[in-house]
Amino acid sequence: MTSRTTEVPKSGIGAPVDRVEAHDKVTGAARYTADARLPRMTHAVLVASTVSAGRVRRIDTARAATAPGVLAVLTHRDRMPWRGTPEDAKFMEARFPLADDRISYYGQYLAVVVAETLAQAEYAASLVAVDYERHRPVPTLDQALPHAYTATGRFIQPPFPQRAVLPEGADPGAAMEGAAVRVDATYRVPHYSHAPLEPGAVVASWEGDALTLRDCSQKVHQHRDIVAAVFGLPPERVRVLSPLVGGAFGNKTDTWAHSLLAAAAARAVRRPVKLVLTRKQAFTATGHQPPIIQRLRLGADAGGKLAVIVHDVVNATEVRGDRPDPAVVSTASTYAAPVLSVTTRVAKVNISPSANLRAPGDGPGSFALECAMDELAYRLGMDPLDLRRRNHLEKDPLTRRPYSDKNLLEAYDLGAERFGWSRRPAKPGSLRDGDDLVGYGMATAVRGELPDPLATQAEVEIRADGTAEVRTAIQEIGTGSLTMVAQITAAGTGVPLGRVDVRAGDTRLPRTPGNGGSKATGYTGSAVHLAAEQARTTAVRMAVTDPESPLHGLPQDEIEADDGRLFHREKPGRGETYRALLARNGGKPVLGKGNYTPRTSHAVATFGVHFTEVRVDPRLPRVRVTRHVGVFDIGRVTNHKAARNQAQGGIVFGMGWALMEQLVPDPVSGRYVGPAFTDYHIPVNADVPDIDVLFVDKPDTIAHPHGSKGMGEVVAVGVAAAIANAVYHATGKRIRELPITPDKLVS
Ligand code: MOS
């Protein structure tokens, strides 16, 4: 496996260094949220609804309340401490937990039991008896479809229009009519779960009216602000600590009911409360991507030049909220089509609230668009990659701005060469290896960056002992963010990487947008970059103005920093260590602050391409991915090891969507069938082939001063389509509904 198109640096930015927390993780010393233990800590267990629609007619808590060790049982009959409205607090759900007796989804929490030990809480929770008034649920999107409508309200995130035609006044119908070649197909994606290995967990503790939450969060500051609003507290009275996060994929960007309930329970019993979700609860109540039906129409001329794209989306949404899925988000910004029409509607289903799931919108949207492009290529008798090249987009059509940088054509060339795309026979079903049908497929990946409204902050200190400390509220969610900030600090200050301490995951540290929306490296990395520059510049100024420094009197821009030392660029022997400089100047650390808001007038996006090979045994049509090449254009690669790892993870994530994952609701009761890893299958090592990852690796300093853009999402975009396209190439069967399980290939 490789991860580069150019030489990987041995040190500095780009170096494939090990994670700063790697040793702790492999030795078991690493502490996750659920590992926290506080003095006098109690344990909470949630009682969840076993029906998906109805009311609580009666909830009998008497036996639970008198069970051994039980300290409190809270239900909707208790006065919960919530203030204001979910809307004002920007809470994920349209209703606060335990706010009333109504039930609108399976797994909705009905009670919290707090006891001295976890076993006591679990036992007491089993004694809570619920008498339900059952209503007839709407369990599936198909059942809800006749009542689909255009969403309104607070869950619409700009800039995703619910309906739009570009350019204004264009006639997409006429454009379709006039097209020489057309595709009109409907694609379906099921209910997907984020399925991180670490379920949600929280430890809540109060001191007076100040709340501390140790919680699994990708965005500690946003989480803090929401929790503070819900409890009617000023934000500074709430502290959120998020140590290492054991996987998230978007479902820890939001504040969920269990965090609020743990805080309310801790207040009720006046002791710290630990609450760890069960595996089942991790599937039912911390978000998911809803089922989506997408109709995609393409019109092109005989040479493959697109004339029009029409993308119509309907997604399932929860009964109490209108949450449209942004599946159309990149439809306009993937290919150059003179006419574009997008619509999004929702249909109410008895499911829990959906949430951003890695590559929100682009994940499901790219499945439809990239499969439709493949269908168009076959109809035209054109190579699918040539069709993409033919419709390459130079400018972002939504903003009419040029991209800060875009090297997609180069990525196509690199990937095609590495994969051996030119060996692909055009005819489906014509490639065999023994009994296996073999197929090649490809897809483009695009992920636009949505600017964060708040400044991203970081502090870097160079200390008198020659070490440095970087402080920023970023979290480690498994992707290498702590290592990223350490590397940028080391590169910016010249303090060796091994002497950089990282403080992170705490709302007392400088604010960042967190680890979401592929923003960690572009935003936090750039704030750290600026902070480190400022710290170094301050130290340089100190040196050149200090009569006792060997650098005294030299122009500042002739001074460089490396290996813990400042020196003259021309004569590296002339210089001194930070230690010596700071010791002579009062021994105080030098502080640099980074305050970063992107100011680019360009459109910023990341790009990539996937080439994949599948093998299908025609007797038992199980699809195996046997080769995969991903090439990504994400600006400068900050750490080739972590980046390759994250790209491989994203591709494996996409393989799961393509071939295995789905939460299946019972079509009568609305209960999920088997919300557990026994039934919700994700790829394991035996399912994953050699994944070859390449990077274009060109700094994009127009996007962000550090030159890196995000990569967490783009790497997963298009994978499912590439696999579905390869399945068509292998078998001649076009599967438009994910996951591609063997039943769909048996004819
Ligand atoms: Mo992401 S889906 O913003 O973690």
Side-chain angles (χ1 to χ4, degrees):
M1 288 187 224
T2 45
S3 68
R4 64 201 162 84
T5 59
T6 52
E7 195 75 7
V8 173
K10 292 213 170 34
S11 63
I13 299 299
V17 298
D18 292 345
R19 310 287 179 89
V20 295
E21 79 284 5
H23 186 267
D24 282 353
K25 281 183 173 169
V26 298
T27 58
R31 288 286 170 267
Y32 291 78
T33 299
D35 295 319
R37 281 166 199 236
L38 299 185
R40 304 183 66 240
M41 191 172 78
T42 65
H43 297 264
V45 167
L46 297 163
V47 176
S49 173
T50 58
V51 305
S52 63
R55 280 177 184 270
V56 178
R57 196 181 282 139
R58 225 167 65 82
I59 182 160
D60 184 353
T61 56
R63 285 183 67 205
T66 54
V70 171
L71 301 165
V73 182
L74 302 175
T75 71
H76 71 275
R77 294 173 316 201
D78 294 283
R79 250 175 66 101
M80 300 307 289
W82 326 132
R83 302 285 183 83
T85 66
E87 184 163 352
D88 293 340
K90 300 199 170 75
F91 179 55
M92 246 340 241
E93 300 199 40
R95 165 197 176 270
F96 283 133
L98 307 185
D100 55 43
D101 63 354
R102 291 181 297 159
I103 297 164
S104 59
Y105 61 88
Y106 172 69
Q108 183 185 313
Y109 302 132
L110 303 182
V112 192
V113 179
V114 189
E116 295 287 347
T117 70
L118 177 59
Q120 288 171 334
E122 281 173 343
Y123 175 64
S126 76
L127 302 176
V128 174
V130 185
D131 180 14
Y132 295 101
E133 176 185 303
R134 288 160 196 260
H135 298 171
R136 181 186 289 270
V138 181
T140 67
L141 177 55
D142 282 299
Q143 285 159 308
L145 212 47
H147 309 291
Y149 62 96
T150 305
T152 54
R154 68 168 167 126
F155 293 118
I156 293 178
Q157 315 167 34
F160 310 124
Q162 301 309 290
R163 46 183 63 242
V165 174
L166 282 182
E168 229 174 287
D171 185 345
M176 281 300 299
E177 285 296 309
V181 186
R182 290 189 278 266
V183 168
D184 180 349
T186 298
Y187 303 89
R188 290 165 174 259
V189 296
H191 212 133
Y192 287 128
S193 174
H194 302 77
L197 289 187
E198 179 200 45
V202 55
V203 180
S205 54
W206 292 86
E207 260 179 66
D209 68 344
L211 171 65
T212 300
L213 284 182
R214 290 167 171 80
D215 209 337
C216 312
S217 175
Q218 294 174 251
K219 297 186 173 192
V220 287
H221 279 98
Q222 179 186 292
H223 188 39
R224 175 198 68 175
D225 292 351
I226 293 170
V227 171
V230 173
F231 283 88
L233 297 169
E236 58 278 8
R237 303 251 80 191
V238 178
R239 181 180 188 187
V240 175
L241 294 157
S242 180
L244 302 171
V245 173
F249 315 114
N251 81 337
K252 290 164 184 162
T253 57
D254 296 299
T255 295
W256 297 106
H258 67 271
S259 295
L260 302 184
L261 290 169
R267 183 181 255 191
V269 302
R270 298 171 180 278
R271 288 169 63 180
V273 167
K274 179 191 280 194
L275 197 170
V276 181
L277 297 185
T278 62
R279 177 58 61 195
K280 190 168 167 180
Q281 288 163 351
F283 277 103
T284 55
T286 50
H288 54 85
Q289 185 203 275
I292 306 173
I293 299 173
Q294 307 178 64
R295 182 175 178 199
L296 210 303
R297 281 172 280 175
L298 300 176
D301 70 16
K305 196 103 186 96
L306 283 172
V308 55
I309 303 177
V310 183
H311 192 177
D312 298 305
V313 173
V314 189
N315 69 271
T317 192
E318 71 261 30
V319 168
R320 294 186 202 237
D322 287 355
R323 209 181 300 258
D325 190 279
V328 302
V329 58
S330 61
T331 309
S333 33
T334 306
Y335 299 111
V339 178
L340 178 90
S341 164
V342 297
T343 66
T344 302
R345 291 180 304 149
V346 296
K348 286 205 182 295
V349 172
N350 288 93
I351 49 171
S352 58
S354 55
N356 287 337
L357 186 148
R358 190 184 207 170
D362 292 319
S366 65
F367 172 62
L369 181 62
E370 292 299 315
C371 286
M373 285 294 279
D374 201 63
E375 300 202 38
L376 180 64
Y378 283 98
R379 216 152 287 182
L380 288 158
M382 197 170 171
D383 181 285
L385 179 57
D386 289 342
L387 178 65
R388 265 83 173 180
R389 285 198 184 102
R390 181 124 185 75
N391 291 286
H392 183 72
L393 194 56
E394 292 292 345
K395 263 190 188 179
D396 177 50
L398 292 179
T399 58
R400 297 198 183 82
R401 293 172 170 189
Y403 288 107
S404 55
D405 195 23
K406 177 171 181 177
N407 304 288
L408 180 58
L409 292 173
E410 186 179 337
Y412 285 154
D413 293 344
L414 288 166
E417 163 80 27
R418 178 65 69 106
F419 183 81
W421 183 254
S422 61
R423 295 197 302 271
R424 168 187 170 276
K427 199 167 138 34
S430 61
L431 201 55
R432 278 183 178 261
D433 181 10
D435 289 339
D436 281 346
L437 298 167
V438 180
Y440 292 177
M442 59 84 51
T444 302
V446 175
R447 172 77 193 171
E449 190 180 281
L450 303 172
D452 203 86
L454 297 171
T456 306
Q457 297 168 339
E459 292 174 359
V460 167
E461 250 180 27
I462 302 168
R463 299 183 293 205
D465 62 357
T467 63
E469 180 173 87
V470 51
R471 298 189 286 260
T472 177
I474 196 91
Q475 301 71 208
E476 178 56 54
I477 65 167
T479 56
S481 294
L482 304 185
T483 314
M484 175 270 290
V485 298
Q487 279 182 281
I488 296 172
T489 301
T493 58
V495 171
L497 183 61
R499 281 191 248 155
V500 177
D501 295 325
V502 180
R503 286 179 55 203
D506 183 346
T507 47
R508 297 221 173 135
L509 296 169
R511 179 166 190 136
T512 77
N515 301 70
S518 296
K519 288 202 194 68
T521 305
Y523 283 68
T524 303
S526 289
V528 171
H529 173 93
L530 296 174
E533 296 257 294
Q534 198 187 77
R536 190 196 64 224
T537 310
T538 305
V540 167
R541 199 178 311 121
M542 191 185 276
V544 297
T545 56
D546 177 355
E548 290 177 51
S549 171
L551 298 169
H552 182 248
L554 286 170
Q556 286 185 41
D557 60 2
E558 289 178 17
I559 310 298
E560 288 196 356
D562 195 18
D563 203 20
R565 192 172 162 272
L566 295 175
F567 56 91
H568 188 219
R569 189 191 309 133
E570 307 300 329
K571 294 189 221 87
R574 183 173 171 190
E576 64 174 333
T577 61
Y578 282 122
R579 272 173 93 137
L581 173 69
L582 296 184
R584 262 199 334 276
N585 283 273
K588 287 222 180 72
V590 175
L591 175 68
K593 290 191 179 194
N595 197 325
Y596 175 59
T597 310
R599 305 225 180 273
T600 180
S601 56
H602 291 69
V604 178
T606 46
F607 307 94
V609 60
H610 296 277
F611 293 92
T612 202
E613 178 193 272
V614 300
R615 270 156 211 258
V616 184
D617 178 344
R619 288 162 304 190
L620 174 68
R622 190 174 67 110
V623 178
R624 283 175 302 131
V625 177
T626 43
R627 250 171 4 108
H628 194 103
V629 174
V631 188
F632 306 104
D633 174 24
I634 55 164
R636 187 215 307 243
V637 175
T638 302
N639 177 332
H640 274 270
K641 188 174 185 180
R644 185 186 69 184
N645 178 245
Q646 197 176 2
Q648 290 175 332
I651 291 162
V652 172
F653 203 79
M655 283 177 56
W657 289 345
L659 300 175
M660 297 173 191
E661 296 182 43
Q662 59 180 329
L663 275 174
V664 181
D666 176 88
V668 177
S669 70
R671 279 180 208 153
Y672 290 127
V673 180
F677 283 124
T678 42
D679 293 87
Y680 190 91
H681 292 171
I682 56 175
V684 298
N685 282 342
D687 299 310
V688 177
D690 188 30
I691 294 175
D692 208 352
V693 174
L694 294 92
F695 295 103
V696 174
D697 200 7
K698 288 185 182 159
D700 181 356
T701 49
I702 295 176
H704 300 295
H706 169 59
S708 294
K709 295 181 279 195
M711 67 171 294
E713 286 163 316
V714 71
V715 292
V717 174
V719 175
I723 293 171
N725 295 340
V727 168
Y728 178 76
H729 186 239
T731 64
K733 285 194 183 122
R734 180 62 69 179
I735 308 299
R736 300 189 181 89
E737 179 172 9
L738 297 178
I740 306 172
T741 42
D743 53 299
K744 295 186 178 118
L745 284 167
V746 176
S747 52

